[in-house]
Amino acid sequence: MNPKQILKVSLRKMGIYKMRVAVIIVPVLVLTAISVVVSSELFSIRTVIRDKVLEKMAAEQQVISVTAFDEELPDEYKSKAEQIDGVKLVGFEYDLPVQQVAVDSVDGHIIKPYIVHTLTKKVGDVFSNEPFEYSDANPVPIILSRKALVYQEEDWGGKDEILVSFDSLGSINDLKDQVPVKSVSIRKPSKDLVNKEVEVSFGGLYTNPSYTVIDTDKGSTYKKLSSEQLQHEQKAREESISKYWDYQKLTNPITFKAKIVAIREDLMESAMFVPQDFADIVLNKITTRENEARKSTINGVYLASDFIGSATLDEGLKPTPLAVTNEQVFSLGEVSLFIAIGDDSSSTGKIFIPGLILDDAGHAVADERISLDDLSPLRMDVVISDVKNRRQVSNDLSKALGDNVSVGAFSAISSITMFTDFVNKLMDSLTIIFVIVTIISVVGVMSKIVAEGEREIGIFRALGATKMAIRFLIVGQTLIYFLIALIIGDMLGALSVFALSSKIAHQANALIERGLDYVLPISVHFETVDFLHFDIATVLQQHLLLIVVVALVALIPAYRASKITPVDAMRRE
Amino acid sequence: MNSTKVIKLDSVTKVYKDGDRTVTALDNVSLSIEQGESVAIEGPSGSGKSTLLQILGALDEPTSGSVNIFGVEPFQLNDKELSKFRNETIGFVFQFFNLLPYYSALENVMVPLLLGGVSETDAREKAKTVLDELGLSDRLNHRPSQLSGGQMQRVAIARALGTEPKLILADEPTGNLDKENKAIIADLLASVSKKGITLIVVTHDQLLSERFGRKLRIDGGRLLQPSNEKVKDES
Ligand SMILES: Nc1ncnc2c1ncn2[C@@H]1O[C@H](COP(=O)(O)OP(=O)(O)O)[C@@H](O)[C@H]1O
Ligand SMILES: [Mg+2]
């Protein structure tokens, strides 16, 4: 029997054995469609991760952060780290005690990183394409963490007053939706932000908020302030501050031209990085300005500053009860300075005066300038020569430096590798299920078809068909049904991928924006095309495997069929 | 002459084993049939007529005895040779027509031709010609379910004739037909015989058996009339 005849018989018989053939076709078709969709989406996810996430993180993978738990990092740690195999270079990071940092404008918005770090040139060069150093002639190169790329946006929806009722809050996203003042992430890919010139400002006074929040036990009421109220607030602040400082001098921040040279995608903090040699310049300018702005010693005024780290207070200055215990000022996450006007803590008005510096020794509004030498390193950046050794080097660092430090062993790449491994296993499991289902349905259905077609096979035999021809017929018939299922399944799968891709892209964006953003600072925007990849190689491979399996399994009913004798055709109906 | 004896059965016995019961369907049957002869096999139900025909048609192997058909001992052949032998030498007409239900009349007739390696085009032409000769040119594309019993049996005869076999075997070909169709099929088979094709027909039908050169009676698996008793030879 030639293939054409086999095809003809198979197709004609399909008309008779609709339900039986459906038992082969439908599960295979469904599984094929699922395979196409799953492999395609997994392929898309892998591609997306590779192109949109890993590539971004490539530079970050080269740097391992070492942080001291409670102490400063001793100098000797640097030499200890440098001796470890696979370590290329080591640099200390300092956190600048500078408050109220703003970058204007990043993609048209003002962003305010919470903290400013310094990076040595060599460490900075890992992230940056141009030398990470300061020179008078050029803009200051800055690196921003992805988490810093957030701006504030107000949306009152035409109202002056909004009650955010606690009862109505199901999740953090509900809160996000209802509160009129929102933090919005800038999701531009780093290539669109890098090389942009911006203006960085240090110090200066916060603008007074344009609304108040009144908390009750029912919820929070956000209320817009009228222009009279705003003016009144402004005036009160100016009067209080002017007693001790030149208000104008404090109001204006110190600004520099800057250029974004890199975006760090790996950090969970809102930070800006500046070259280490730029640190002294900033510190110098700010302390000088503060000294100049100060009109008189502040007698009987409670004063504290809460820049990162701790500061004891200068003589004659007493802490506000709010921010200070045991004469130690702790960071509360805000970069600000509290003063209490009056003689004691119960007196009126606490005013934020950002831009003032206390050094480590607690010299508030220092008379002398402070420099980087006055600060202690809080983080050590260890640059490794090969990303593959990241885990090994992390372990070695932990061993060498002891329990006092935390070594940033977390690697987005390793967790992503784990994820893609899982994804591959998923596809493998799907194929195994597929093989099992196929074997069961093929053997079951084809045996049934053979048994019921005894008479017909007998006729073929009586008319001169060889046993081999009958085997070919059954194997061929099985393969034809199977191929039909595969083809329809592939088409359905492809259609589903087309139908799903925009939804998946939408969901993926929503997931990143509303959830993942808190966990991993991946800032990517997905397009429909990102989810339109087809993993043709995997699908073909799976199809081929299945076709071979089906051909082999079909031999069981085929041999049974070839045993049917022509005499069986003579049986009564 | 020996050479004209194209079919020779010698002491053929067929025993069916059905569980622990054994049935001797044919008991030591010997017979010979000459080239171009037309033979009717008669006998009561269960007497072994079909079994004999199956052995003559190389469809089923005897338990013992020898079979020689057109100089070939079919049961000595391997599967491939035997299949080719069935395809080329023998045409079979069954009581229940045994047409393939999902094929048209034309395609049913084409099946043995295609199995014999005839090209699709030639097979189609040949099948058309034969069906035309049997008066079925307006039923070529009908499925068996769309045909009457008489038409189905004519298609079956066309299928048997298509490969131009030397021997046609028919097992109660009119058994399931009305009177009118019985006559048509009888005429047809008689004309087949006239073409010089050796014809062996199992039948209860007096009308049909009267048309053939020789009658064989079989009862309880035994041949009643001696095989060499020749009544008349029309060829
Ligand atoms: N496949 C078989 N298995 C067991 N017994 C059979 C088989 N085929 C035929 N027989 C028996 O052999 C005998 C002859 O059968 P058969 O040749 O069909 O008779 P006929 O065609 O004359 O009616 C019957 O008793 C029948 O029951
Ligand atoms: Mg019978």
Side-chain angles (χ1 to χ4, degrees), chain A residues 1-2 4-6 8-10 12-13 16-17 455-469 471 473 562 565-573, chain B residues 16 45 50 53-54 58-60 79-80 83-84 86-87 90 92 94-96 98-104 107-108 110-112 114-115 120 124 143 159 171-172:
Chain A
M1 244 181 260
N2 64 34
K4 199 174 159 190
Q5 287 305 306
I6 294 174
K8 202 169 187 176
V9 172
S10 307
R12 295 285 173 82
K13 289 206 71 167
I16 301 177
Y17 292 110
R455 184 186 186 84
E456 167 207 333
I457 291 162
I459 297 169
F460 275 120
R461 293 282 283 141
L463 298 178
T466 60
K467 285 186 177 181
M468 197 50 109
R471 282 176 213 139
L473 174 68
S562 70
T565 66
V567 177
D568 292 314
M570 322 273 284
R571 297 249 163 84
R572 269 149 219 274
E573 296 188 315
Chain B
Y16 288 112
S45 185
S50 293
L53 209 65
Q54 281 159 15
L59 301 184
D60 203 6
D79 180 64
K80 200 175 164 191
S83 301
K84 190 169 149 69
R86 282 178 193 146
N87 180 260
I90 300 162
F92 233 103
F94 307 88
Q95 179 180 357
F96 300 105
N98 273 350
L99 298 175
L100 297 168
Y102 43 84
Y103 271 0
S104 67
E107 287 165 333
N108 263 288
M110 285 167 70
V111 169
L114 294 170
L115 285 171
E120 178 102 15
R124 189 174 298 277
R143 297 274 171 99
R159 181 173 66 184
D171 194 351
E172 302 193 32

Side-chain angles (χ1 to χ4, degrees), chain A residues 571, chain B residues 16 18 23 25 44-51:
Chain A
R571 297 249 163 84
Chain B
Y16 288 112
D18 200 1
V23 179
S45 185
S47 57
K49 306 184 295 293
S50 293
T51 305

Side-chain angles (χ1 to χ4, degrees), chain A residues 365-380:
Chain A
V365 202
D367 285 335
E368 77 256 36
R369 291 161 187 174
I370 63 164
S371 73
L372 209 60
D373 295 336
D374 301 321
L375 305 173
S376 315
L378 291 155
R379 191 148 71 177
M380 184 165 77

Side-chain angles (χ1 to χ4, degrees), chain A residues 91-108:
Chain A
F92 279 132
E93 258 185 44
Y94 295 86
D95 295 337
L96 290 189
V98 177
Q99 297 96 346
Q100 175 83 334
V101 181
V103 187
D104 190 11
S105 67
V106 180
D107 195 35

Side-chain angles (χ1 to χ4, degrees), chain A residues 426-456:
Chain A
L426 191 71
M427 191 62 199
D428 290 347
S429 325
L430 194 64
T431 302
I432 291 168
I433 294 171
F434 207 157
V435 166
I436 293 169
V437 169
T438 303
I439 290 175
I440 293 170
S441 65
V442 162
V443 172
V445 172
M446 289 313 290
S447 298
K448 189 101 185 164
I449 286 180
V450 164
E452 285 176 7
E454 240 182 38
R455 184 186 186 84
E456 167 207 333

